Amino acid sequence: MKRPTIPDLARAAGVSVSTVNRVLNQPESVRPPTKDRVLAAAEEIGFYGLGTIEHAIKSTQATHRLGVLLQRSSRSFYRDLGAAIAEAAEAYPAHNIELTLEFLEDLTPEKVASHIVSLGERSEAIAIVAPQHQLVADAIDTVLDKGVPIVSLIGPLTAKGNISFVGLDNWKVGRTAAWAFDKMVRDPGKIGVLVGSHRLRNQEMNESGFRSYFREHNASFTILEPLPTYESAAVAREHVEKLLTDHPDLCGLYISGGGVTGAIAALRAMPKRDDFVAVGYELFDDTRAALIDGTLSMIISHPMERFARETIATLMKAKSGGRDAGAHRVTFGFDIYTPESV
């Protein structure tokens, strides 16, 4: 089969040969709908110059400088999320996006606040994962006052200005986890709870929803006070080992925040119990393996590709809306995994 030619592309797109040539050589002289039609036809027929057409069309489009600030790159979840956001930015239709993607290893409020201001100075709109703290709120207001919109990811944030949000309905996440314990635990008893930080509002809302379910449906369970892991696997392991020692009658563990790999290690070290239920957060290689070997009973997870697409789309909406536009709130459903579904 011969390679499609420019006349073949013109026929497939319903335009003249000269129009195809202008898309290739003078893309600024062609109307956007026509360029899109030629591009779609090139993809459909396998035109050899597809990359040239894509480059020509992108060269005429405005560039949008977007920034994303995530937490520690050592965590698989944030590495995977960062990769998905970068891919979504590259694939965003009909726009050039210049993405600045950064990870923050030091999660103290001072460092987070400083980095938010820095990223805001280099971007036209930014998305951040951050704890709720006055220093962080002040940094957000500093960026907003300069006309740069901010989108909070995973957990909502508050400041004087309007902040958009993209993430899960964390109240529902907590109630769904509680439902799982209610249905899977044979004899109600004590449940330990791990959170990454009391200042991460998504995890506070997870815990609130978790407790509300038991108040409403089954008061036979005792929910222990949540223990902060500070997003550290080592701290999480210490907490779980102490919980298992101090509460030999513990019937379950809810890991609603960071440090899940440390918690998994501690659970694997204890004698296997068929009556023990553990529910974790986010699916990646380690948690998938823990589901398969029975260490974890269920995982609640962000749908990564959807999360990334919504992040880029909301940043673009916030940027185009300008200083006086209201905040956008985007929530979407979460994925649930069990040992039989991975």
Side-chain angles (χ1 to χ4, degrees):
M1 184 179 294
K2 70 173 186 176
R3 191 168 65 169
T5 63
I6 287 178
D8 294 329
L9 176 55
R11 281 191 295 273
V15 300
S16 66
V17 170
S18 64
T19 296
V20 173
N21 282 324
R22 283 193 295 120
V23 169
L24 286 165
N25 302 304
Q26 296 176 303
E28 69 282 352
S29 68
V30 184
R31 294 173 61 248
T34 303
K35 287 187 288 191
D36 291 342
R37 194 159 73 247
V38 171
L39 177 60
E43 292 173 342
E44 184 176 344
I45 70 172
F47 182 63
Y48 68 92
L50 176 60
T52 303
I53 292 176
E54 290 175 332
H55 177 76
I57 291 176
K58 279 202 167 188
S59 70
T60 65
Q61 297 165 346
T63 297
H64 307 275
R65 292 182 295 109
L66 306 182
V68 176
L69 178 61
L70 303 178
Q71 295 190 359
R72 294 179 177 132
S73 60
S74 58
R75 290 187 55 192
S76 296
F77 170 72
Y78 286 114
R79 289 199 308 273
D80 293 345
L81 177 57
I85 289 174
E87 190 172 313
E90 180 66 25
Y92 194 78
H95 292 86
N96 281 329
I97 293 178
E98 183 182 293
L99 180 69
T100 300
L101 175 64
E102 297 178 348
F103 297 89
L104 195 56
E105 306 305 321
D106 186 340
L107 302 181
T108 59
E110 294 82 1
K111 289 291 186 180
V112 175
S114 174
H115 213 102
I116 288 171
V117 172
S118 171
L119 187 59
E121 291 171 345
R122 294 174 277 132
S123 310
E124 296 171 302
I126 66 174
I128 62 174
V129 180
Q132 184 67 54
H133 190 279
Q134 189 55 51
L135 291 176
V136 173
D138 290 345
I140 288 171
D141 285 326
T142 296
V143 173
L144 291 174
D145 287 344
K146 294 179 179 178
V148 177
I150 293 181
V151 178
S152 175
L153 303 179
I154 301 176
L157 292 169
T158 57
K160 293 177 182 177
N162 289 326
I163 309 170
S164 298
F165 170 70
V166 176
L168 305 179
D169 183 329
N170 295 295
W171 174 268
K172 286 185 178 180
V173 170
R175 287 183 66 89
T176 301
W179 174 88
F181 282 100
D182 188 22
K183 301 306 178 185
M184 287 192 284
V185 173
R186 298 172 190 169
D187 299 310
K190 298 175 182 176
I191 298 177
V193 179
L194 300 185
V195 297
S197 167
H198 292 302
R199 288 192 175 275
L200 292 170
R201 291 185 64 198
N202 61 306
Q203 294 174 25
E204 288 291 287
M205 293 168 71
N206 286 353
E207 186 208 347
S208 181
F210 190 72
R211 291 181 181 277
S212 77
Y213 176 93
F214 288 113
R215 284 195 297 268
E216 183 178 347
H217 294 289
N218 195 338
S220 300
F221 285 89
T222 299
I223 314 303
L224 301 178
E225 281 299 301
L227 301 172
T229 67
Y230 307 108
E231 308 292 313
S232 164
V235 173
R237 180 166 188 165
E238 289 178 10
H239 281 323
V240 175
E241 289 172 346
K242 191 171 189 307
L243 281 170
L244 294 171
T245 300
D246 293 349
H247 305 280
D249 56 342
L250 198 72
C251 70
L253 178 69
Y254 178 34
I255 312 156
S256 77
V260 64
T261 55
I264 289 170
L267 292 174
R268 282 188 176 135
M270 78 174 190
K272 205 75 167 178
R273 283 174 48 191
D274 291 336
D275 61 341
F276 190 90
V277 171
V279 175
Y281 203 39
E282 304 304 349
L283 185 74
F284 51 94
D285 288 346
D286 291 330
T287 55
R288 186 177 187 276
L291 277 176
I292 292 171
D293 69 21
T295 304
L296 294 179
S297 311
M298 191 175 87
I299 287 288
I300 297 174
S301 185
H302 286 81
M304 202 63 75
E305 291 184 6
R306 171 82 185 275
F307 191 8
R309 289 197 306 270
E310 296 289 4
T311 296
I312 295 298
T314 304
L315 280 168
M316 291 294 286
K317 289 177 186 176
K319 175 183 178 292
S320 64
R323 182 189 292 264
D324 298 326
H328 303 273
R329 181 176 178 83
V330 180
T331 58
F332 43 86
F334 42 85
D335 293 333
I336 295 176
Y337 297 94
T338 70
E340 299 301 320
S341 69
V342 292

